[in-house]
Amino acid sequence: MTGVDTKQAGTPQIIDGKYPVVRELSREGNVTLYEVQSAQGQGTPRQVAWFDIATPADRQSFHAYRTALRAVAPAGLSDVVARPGAYYAVWQPLSGTPLAELLSSGVKKRQETIDAVEALAAKLADHGFALEDADIVVSAEQPSVAYLRPTAPRSAPDLAARNAPILGALRGGRVRRKRQPGAWLTFVPGLLLLAGAGWLGAQAAQIYLNPPVAEVARVIGSEAANAAGQLTRAGFRVEYTYGESAGAAVGAVIRQEPDGGTALPIGRLVVLTVNKPQPLVVPKLEDLTLAQAQAPLKDNALKLGKVVRVDGTASKTPEGRIIAQIPPPGSSSQRGQPIQVVVSTGIRGEETWIADLRGMTFEQAREHARAAGLVVTTWTKQPSDRLPNTVLAQEPAPFERVTVGSPVKLVLAAVKYSPPTAPAAPLPIPPPYVPPQPVQPAPDPAAPGQTTPGQPAPGQPSPEGTAPEQTLPTQNAPAPGTSSEVPAAPPTPEPAPAAEPSVPEVPEGAVVADPSQTRQVNLNYTFPSDLPAGTYTISVLDADGEREIMPGVDAAQVAGRLAQAPQAVRGDAVFIIRRDGNEYTRVSPQ
């Protein structure tokens, strides 16, 4: 059963998420009576009559039962729920004496009790119920319905036959008083009233048993108010529930119960489920053009509504830009709802000027431009030593008067890569390989033609003036006629001189600067008269690196003028002129 949680088939645990089941009391047809705890889990137990709705006839029977409950207004009725998947009535216990116990006690009944029970019987009969269909308790001489059993409508003769035993037993213990002459006339109004009530009851039963039937119109996709009007004009009652469907418009009917084309008695209930999705956040469209606004609207399942064009002079909004929107940004809206916008028609012939944006961040520059009635339309990146996204140049120039709404172009700083200012030192060259010299053999003193150190050569006088000693020939002396010279030792190869590092040739007349010495050079440069617009700086590059010697100056201030400056440098030097951070030209020092 929808709305009843179960652990196993046929054993319900909780009804509609709030009534825990204690036990099952009875089951008649499609109606099951349960004893349940209260919704808060405290207090006395209650009874729930649960209806299993499987066919349109079951649904009609329940709605007839609910109509009777509303008319009778039983004291024991706590709640009646009728929605798709959950049809039930909740009953609470009443204190008092049950009517059956009162009838069997034999105690004389007071006239007030008898009259009240008879009135209750007539009230129940008007809706097709007998006294035996109700659990009645009597308290303070007044009967109350503690529980009314669902049953098929009974005919008037059947009702009279079923109520006669109970009413007869109720009147059986009453003491009849002696009638006065003419007292019977007092019963005439009552008899007339009873006859009229009977006739009205019969007519009501006839209408209830044979109500006019009409076909339920199909209203799915229609707007809820229109669908409800169409159904109420056909004689049906309408209730709303809410759901969500991405493909339907907000406020449209996405389901109906019973379905369109069903034959239903006049006066019965038709439940309509209306599309009501979760709210969405409205995006900000201000300062955008209509074309640019389409993307955020599409992303949030919204659409562009009415467009109102107004003069943008007061708000300083350029032509074609959105000034305001309805609903405002950040508010809640439903899927598919239109967003109305107010678009500027432009600013009437006003002029403005823009401040010097150089050195600002991109966000700061854009806010300054907007305050001046201008719009930043384009920006480019340029390598620079400044922080990223810092404004290096702008167009229009600072303090230039322009028409309100004019575009502004910015040049922003990007990360700059700087190569090393001095070349890296070369790796040391290893010394050339030198082979070891061979060892010379010691000279033989006995060999002819050789002299020992300190001994004069043959044929030369002795240092002391004495004649040299004559050497006798030995056994190993060479024979006469043969040469006495000893072969000379093989020549020892001279080691090759070490290779010297190559030195680049210096052209004639060129002067090579000593990197370790400081010298004075001069800058002499005349800027062209048609110098391109921009900011110009001058720096010198020498052995110590590059350094700026003239800060940024506007082109209008230096065009056609001569730049002269002495500068102390080390090593080779050159002057570099830059425009907006980019190299413009190089000038050799003098």
Side-chain angles (χ1 to χ4, degrees):
M1 293 182 292
T2 303
V4 178
D5 297 335
T6 60
K7 284 187 178 179
Q8 59 184 0
T11 306
Q13 297 301 315
I14 188 168
I15 295 178
D16 204 17
K18 54 184 177 181
Y19 295 108
V21 175
V22 177
R23 61 194 178 98
E24 180 180 323
L25 300 177
S26 63
R27 184 187 296 267
E28 296 180 7
N30 67 325
V31 182
T32 305
L33 185 64
Y34 296 100
E35 180 182 345
V36 300
Q37 297 179 359
S38 61
Q40 292 78 17
Q42 300 177 356
T44 58
R46 302 186 180 188
Q47 295 179 354
V48 171
W50 179 269
F51 291 74
D52 288 324
I53 305 300
T55 63
D58 295 339
R59 188 180 298 106
Q60 294 177 14
S61 176
F62 175 81
H63 287 302
Y65 176 68
R66 186 176 67 166
T67 302
L69 293 179
R70 290 178 176 177
V72 176
L77 181 64
S78 175
D79 188 16
V80 178
V81 176
R83 66 170 184 271
Y87 299 86
Y88 61 92
V90 182
W91 300 88
Q92 60 186 356
L94 298 178
S95 61
T97 303
L99 180 61
E101 182 178 339
L102 183 65
L103 294 175
S104 62
S105 64
V107 179
K108 293 182 179 180
K109 288 74 177 176
R110 294 178 62 86
Q111 185 63 38
E112 294 85 351
T113 304
I114 297 173
D115 294 341
V117 172
E118 289 178 347
L120 178 60
K123 194 174 185 179
L124 291 173
D126 291 342
H127 298 280
F129 290 92
L131 288 174
E132 67 181 26
D133 297 328
D135 292 343
I136 302 174
V137 296
V138 180
S139 177
E141 307 302 330
Q142 293 296 322
S144 301
V145 177
Y147 173 62
L148 183 61
R149 296 175 184 82
T151 184
R154 305 182 189 276
S155 62
D158 186 24
L159 290 173
R162 292 176 180 271
N163 289 339
I166 299 176
L167 295 177
L170 186 65
R171 300 189 189 101
R174 184 175 59 178
V175 178
R176 296 182 179 270
R177 297 177 184 178
K178 185 178 180 179
R179 295 182 180 180
Q180 299 296 329
W184 63 274
L185 295 176
T186 60
F187 292 98
V188 174
L191 294 175
L192 294 177
L193 180 62
L194 183 60
W199 183 83
L200 292 176
Q203 294 296 321
Q206 181 67 19
I207 294 175
Y208 180 78
L209 293 175
N210 300 289
V213 177
E215 183 177 334
V216 179
R218 177 177 176 83
V219 294
I220 294 178
S222 302
E223 199 272 329
N226 297 336
Q230 182 179 355
L231 293 173
T232 53
R233 286 191 297 270
F236 301 107
R237 293 179 295 113
V238 177
E239 285 186 0
Y240 290 136
T241 60
Y242 297 99
E244 183 174 352
S245 177
V250 176
V253 177
I254 57 178
R255 287 186 297 275
Q256 70 179 92
E257 185 178 352
D259 298 332
T262 303
L264 191 67
I266 298 298
R268 298 302 172 87
L269 180 67
V270 178
V271 179
L272 302 180
T273 303
V274 182
N275 186 28
K276 187 179 180 182
Q278 295 295 326
L280 302 172
V281 177
V282 178
K284 181 180 179 181
L285 305 180
E286 298 172 358
D287 295 333
L288 301 179
T289 63
L290 293 179
Q292 294 170 343
Q294 294 294 338
L297 289 176
K298 183 177 180 181
D299 294 341
N300 291 274
L302 301 172
K303 62 181 180 180
L304 184 64
K306 184 178 180 181
V307 178
V308 179
R309 300 185 182 273
V310 298
D311 182 39
T313 303
S315 60
K316 295 184 179 179
T317 304
E319 181 180 1
R321 300 279 172 170
I322 296 176
I323 301 176
Q325 64 184 88
I326 301 173
S331 61
S332 298
S333 182
Q334 297 295 337
R335 181 182 288 108
Q337 293 299 305
I339 305 299
Q340 301 182 17
V341 295
V342 179
V343 180
S344 172
T345 58
I347 302 173
R348 295 192 306 268
E350 290 189 2
E351 288 190 348
T352 184
W353 55 270
I354 188 170
D356 190 352
L357 307 180
R358 294 172 297 182
M360 299 183 183
T361 64
F362 175 71
E363 296 297 334
Q364 294 171 342
R366 185 162 58 177
E367 290 301 322
H368 277 72
R370 175 170 173 76
L374 305 176
V375 181
V376 177
T377 57
T378 58
W379 55 88
T380 57
K381 297 283 188 175
Q382 177 176 297
S384 174
D385 295 329
R386 307 291 294 272
L387 292 175
N389 288 332
T390 301
V391 178
L392 302 177
Q394 65 184 81
E395 184 181 344
F399 310 110
E400 180 180 341
R401 298 195 65 83
V402 293
T403 304
V404 173
S406 298
V408 177
K409 300 179 181 180
L410 300 177
V411 178
L412 305 178
V415 178
K416 178 183 179 182
Y417 169 74
S418 299
T421 57
L427 296 175
I429 300 176
Y433 173 75
V434 179
Q437 295 184 1
V439 180
Q440 297 286 342
D444 187 2
Q450 293 186 357
T451 59
T452 59
Q455 184 178 0
Q460 292 185 356
S462 173
E464 293 86 1
T466 59
E469 296 181 358
Q470 294 182 358
T471 304
L472 298 177
T474 60
Q475 185 178 357
N476 295 329
T482 63
S483 174
S484 61
E485 296 181 1
V486 178
T492 302
E494 293 289 339
E500 297 183 359
S502 61
V503 179
E505 296 184 3
V506 179
E508 286 190 30
V511 178
V512 179
D514 188 355
S516 62
Q517 298 297 326
T518 301
R519 59 194 180 94
Q520 191 82 7
V521 297
N522 293 320
L523 167 66
N524 286 285
Y525 177 73
T526 301
F527 287 91
S529 57
D530 55 349
L531 190 65
T535 302
Y536 289 83
T537 61
I538 301 178
S539 58
V540 63
L541 177 64
D542 61 357
D544 294 329
E546 183 176 350
R547 58 187 178 276
E548 189 177 271
I549 62 175
M550 185 186 80
V553 181
D554 190 78
Q557 301 180 15
V558 297
R561 301 183 61 180
L562 175 64
Q564 289 183 327
Q567 187 67 28
V569 299
R570 288 195 318 110
D572 294 336
V574 65
F575 293 99
I576 302 176
I577 299 176
R578 298 185 181 276
R579 171 178 173 263
D580 295 334
N582 295 325
E583 184 174 317
Y584 177 71
T585 186
R586 291 194 175 203
V587 180
S588 300
Q590 297 181 359

